[in-house]
Amino acid sequence: MTYRVCFVCSGNICRSPMAEAVFRARVADAGLDGLVEADSAGTGGWHEGEGADPRAVSVLTDHGYAVDHTARQFHASWFSRLDLVVALDSGHLRELRRLAPTERDAAKVRLLRSYDPAVHEGGLDVPDPYYGGRGGFEECLEMVETASDGLLAAVREQVEGRAA
């Protein structure tokens, strides 16, 4: 049974596509292709149908990540098919938990940086790089990469638990 993860930010053109690309690469490197699927969405539909922000694409490509992305909006009905919904900041976390049809679905929502053991409670948000320059996208990528290692370990544990 495939373990499904969805990364969610505001418009699905910066942070969540970056997190999706990094996590997909981590999943492939770990040999978990076919066992773990990753995608992304936004809490809003402002950019539906658009590609990822060119700055996000540039930073990802420069760091060796593949990007093939079309923005879309997250829908509450998706909770039934997802195992984990990864919010990029606390505002997304609150909104996604409000959207969740059940308490069990709300419990599926986690902050990405909660998987980074070096981060403490107050610093769990991945800042939105949209209104800044390339440096913000580089910083976003660094945060996403660091948290993705812990996320992969947690997901691997879930996948192995299902197989047992």
Side-chain angles (χ1 to χ4, degrees):
M1 185 177 208
T2 305
Y3 191 92
R4 291 179 173 82
V5 179
C6 185
F7 296 92
V8 182
C9 69
S10 300
N12 192 218
I13 60 168
C14 296
R15 293 173 284 179
S16 57
M18 291 178 82
E20 176 187 355
V22 169
F23 193 67
R24 280 180 188 241
R26 294 289 197 279
V27 165
D29 290 347
L32 296 173
D33 276 340
L35 296 174
V36 178
E37 287 180 4
D39 65 4
S40 64
T43 56
W46 314 283
H47 298 285
E48 259 185 313
E50 296 177 19
D53 186 291
R55 297 165 295 177
V57 173
S58 174
V59 166
L60 286 167
T61 319
D62 288 353
H63 288 271
Y65 295 102
V67 185
D68 180 22
H69 178 74
T70 304
R72 61 199 184 125
Q73 184 174 2
F74 187 89
H75 296 280
S77 62
W78 296 3
F79 276 104
S80 64
R81 66 176 173 82
L82 294 169
D83 297 289
L84 183 62
V85 180
V86 182
L88 276 290
D89 71 29
S90 53
H92 305 131
L93 178 81
R94 283 189 303 278
E95 191 165 343
L96 289 163
R97 286 187 173 162
R98 271 196 305 270
L99 273 176
T102 68
E103 286 297 318
R104 184 170 182 249
D105 289 328
K108 295 177 182 181
V109 184
R110 302 290 170 98
L111 281 167
L112 175 63
R113 292 194 76 202
S114 68
Y115 293 96
D116 182 347
V119 176
H120 302 290
E121 276 301 309
L124 292 176
D125 288 353
V126 176
D128 189 350
Y130 184 77
Y131 295 103
R134 183 179 171 95
F137 286 84
E138 291 281 356
E139 180 184 11
C140 177
L141 179 61
E142 185 178 316
M143 290 177 181
V144 165
E145 285 178 326
T146 304
S148 290
D149 294 334
L151 174 59
L152 180 65
V155 168
R156 181 192 298 273
E157 190 175 298
Q158 292 296 313
V159 168
E160 289 173 355
R162 286 181 174 184

